[in-house]
Amino acid sequence: MDFIRNIDGGFSNIGNLEVSGAREGKYGVTIIVSPNSTASAVFTSNKVVAAPVSYTKKAIKNGFLSAVFVNSGNANCFTGSQGFKDCETLVELVSRDLEIPKDEIAIASTGVIGREMPIDIISKVAYESISKLGNKPENSLAAARAIMTTDTFPKECAVEVTLTTGESVRIAGITKGSGMIAPNMGTMLSFIVSDAIIPAKSINKALKKAADISFNMIVVDGDESTNDTCLMMANGASGVEVVRNGEIDSNFQDALNYLCIDLAKKMARDGEGATKFIEANVCGAKDFEDAKLAAKSIVSSSLFKSAVFGGDPNWGRIVSAIGYSGCDLNPDIVTIAIADDEDEVDLVRKGEILAFEDTPYLERAEKIMQSKNVTVNIDMDLGDGEATAWGCDLTYDYVKINAEYTT
């Protein structure tokens, strides 16, 4: 797609936007200021919902936002009425200091569940973050860093897209997440801003499409967070409209998909304790929904993820995961292959097992499984459904990180 160009600098590529980030120990605060933006979001489907999710759902109902407050270190979840009061306190802080109406400010949190917000510490860090607002690459990077919890690196992406009309707009985003990742119509925490002119309803439509093939197709551990939020704003700084006759420009949708997939893959690569990245490609399924079921089942399988960690080409765990996924499967015609950046080998071809002991197929598979990037390619030979999912291996360190998370 030569109409999409990667650009460095994250949020600094978007006009009429200021961002910042600050930390004190495990507590961080990111501020995103994009005045008079149209906005929409997708959220966790967990029945236990954090206070900031409830607050932001209410704030975003009118389709407009001017700022987002994000804190790390405390999820503000399962905190009762005090949790909602703490949201109001922090929003009022931003509103007062930046002279933005309270009903134009969203809030998101990430961290430990079931602990009251250390409001004094968070407020202190918030004032520091506000004092650092700017529109330089370092501001964007600081914003990405401030929302990290167990993440090992900041995650940002920016693209410029040439629309079908020949005009250009930009999209930039940051995200955090390396554990509690298996969302349903939402994501960990992700914030996206475009300089295009887009009605809120069209943002919602475009964002749902992008999330469904990106953030909803990654699995680190199979746990869905209570705080998952993916929020997108459009501030119109470019003066370019991307919706005509009610339809989103197809190049813009492709660019948003690209950006969300890039951010999603970065989260999968940074899975807690991960040493290897897994991609599962399914084609030939009955339809897209079946392909999605099969692909996600592969990257969700604890047994296969453990096999990847150990470098074991145990393709039986792959076919087992497909078999219990709920998709249609005919074992007599399925093809299963694994690949890395240099080689690809069929383990099963149209139902025929090739990777026996002492065969060149198994020897090549064993070498591939030592790689940092392991790809599983499945051809179901039942239809034209295709989907891709991403994940990581399951390691000793994952257990260690989560055994000590609150201590």
Side-chain angles (χ1 to χ4, degrees):
M1 293 186 287
D2 56 5
F3 53 87
I4 301 172
R5 182 172 68 89
N6 281 293
I7 44 180
D8 296 329
F11 280 140
S12 68
N13 292 286
I14 308 295
N16 200 29
L17 174 71
E18 287 190 311
V19 296
S20 63
R23 293 192 75 94
E24 181 175 310
K26 68 178 181 179
Y27 300 108
V29 171
T30 287
I31 307 286
I32 303 169
V33 180
S34 182
N36 305 311
S37 295
T38 52
S40 188
V42 289
F43 300 96
T44 182
S45 62
N46 198 315
K47 291 183 179 179
V48 178
V49 178
V53 170
S54 298
Y55 188 97
T56 295
K57 282 183 177 180
K58 183 179 179 181
I60 209 167
K61 271 187 177 180
N62 65 4
F64 289 93
L65 288 177
S66 289
V68 183
F69 176 100
V70 193
N71 78 274
S72 61
N74 185 292
N76 194 9
C77 177
F78 221 82
T79 46
S81 60
Q82 185 60 46
F84 205 82
K85 290 176 183 176
D86 288 339
C87 288
E88 292 177 329
T89 296
L90 294 169
V91 166
E92 285 174 4
L93 182 158
V94 175
S95 173
R96 184 174 59 252
D97 211 80
L98 297 178
E99 299 182 347
I100 296 172
K102 288 188 291 184
D103 61 1
E104 295 179 17
I105 302 171
I107 186 167
S109 302
T110 180
V112 179
I113 295 169
R115 304 283 177 87
E116 283 195 3
M117 183 81 80
I119 199 70
D120 291 344
I121 298 175
I122 298 296
S123 296
K124 177 185 174 185
V125 182
Y127 282 120
E128 182 185 352
S129 187
I130 289 172
S131 72
K132 295 179 176 179
L133 280 166
N135 189 242
K136 296 180 179 179
E138 52 264 37
N139 297 115
S140 180
L141 188 59
R145 288 188 184 280
I147 59 175
M148 291 167 56
T149 51
T150 55
D151 305 60
T152 63
F153 62 87
K155 303 165 184 69
E156 60 179 355
C157 181
V159 297
E160 183 174 66
V161 52
T162 302
L163 305 177
T164 56
T165 60
E167 300 166 291
S168 294
V169 297
R170 293 181 173 188
I171 317 170
I174 61 172
T175 194
K176 68 80 54 187
S178 61
M180 275 192 104
I181 294 180
N184 297 295
M185 278 323 300
T187 181
M188 293 42 63
L189 291 186
S190 186
F191 307 97
I192 301 165
V193 183
S194 175
D195 62 6
I197 298 172
I198 320 173
K201 286 184 178 180
S202 295
I203 292 177
N204 185 260
K205 182 179 178 181
L207 188 59
K208 283 183 175 180
K209 281 185 178 180
D212 205 31
I213 60 172
S214 59
F215 302 122
N216 288 348
M217 294 301 291
I218 57 173
V219 177
V220 167
D221 48 21
D223 280 300
E224 181 185 351
S225 172
T226 55
N227 291 57
D228 295 346
T229 300
C230 180
L231 188 151
M232 180 174 173
M233 296 187 286
N235 64 22
S238 67
V240 177
E241 296 184 8
V242 299
V243 178
R244 291 174 179 80
N245 300 318
E247 295 297 321
I248 300 164
D249 187 280
S250 59
N251 285 9
F252 182 86
Q253 184 68 63
D254 286 344
L256 181 60
N257 294 349
Y258 175 92
L259 179 131
C260 290
I261 288 172
D262 179 86
L263 292 173
K265 289 168 71 173
K266 284 172 179 171
M267 282 189 279
R269 287 187 184 278
D270 196 27
E272 288 175 342
T275 64
K276 297 178 182 179
F277 176 71
I278 305 171
E279 178 173 292
N281 300 305
V282 174
C283 70
K286 183 182 70 173
D287 52 30
F288 170 69
E289 290 302 321
D290 263 21
K292 186 164 68 170
L293 284 172
K296 286 190 73 171
S297 188
I298 293 167
V299 298
S300 298
S301 167
S302 295
L303 286 175
F304 179 63
K305 289 156 74 72
S306 299
V308 173
F309 173 58
D312 177 13
N314 189 340
W315 57 267
R317 294 179 176 179
I318 300 173
V319 75
S320 174
I322 299 171
Y324 64 63
S325 70
C327 73
D328 281 357
L329 169 68
N330 182 347
D332 294 332
I333 59 175
V334 70
T335 295
I336 302 171
I338 62 170
D340 59 12
D341 297 333
E342 298 179 357
D343 190 19
E344 179 177 8
V345 60
D346 286 348
L347 307 175
V348 177
R349 185 183 299 149
K350 293 189 178 299
E352 179 187 357
I353 301 171
L354 303 178
F356 289 107
E357 290 293 332
D358 301 322
T359 63
Y361 298 99
L362 191 60
E363 289 176 6
R364 287 167 62 192
E366 288 171 345
K367 184 177 179 181
I368 287 170
M369 291 293 283
Q370 303 303 316
S371 301
K372 293 293 184 184
N373 299 317
V374 176
T375 301
V376 179
N377 294 318
I378 307 294
D379 186 350
M380 311 280 273
D381 201 18
L382 293 172
D384 57 6
E386 297 182 357
T388 299
W390 301 274
C392 60
D393 57 347
L394 184 60
T395 71
Y396 308 130
D397 281 346
Y398 174 84
V399 177
K400 186 175 188 297
I401 289 167
N402 285 283
E404 301 171 353
Y405 189 67
T406 64
T407 58

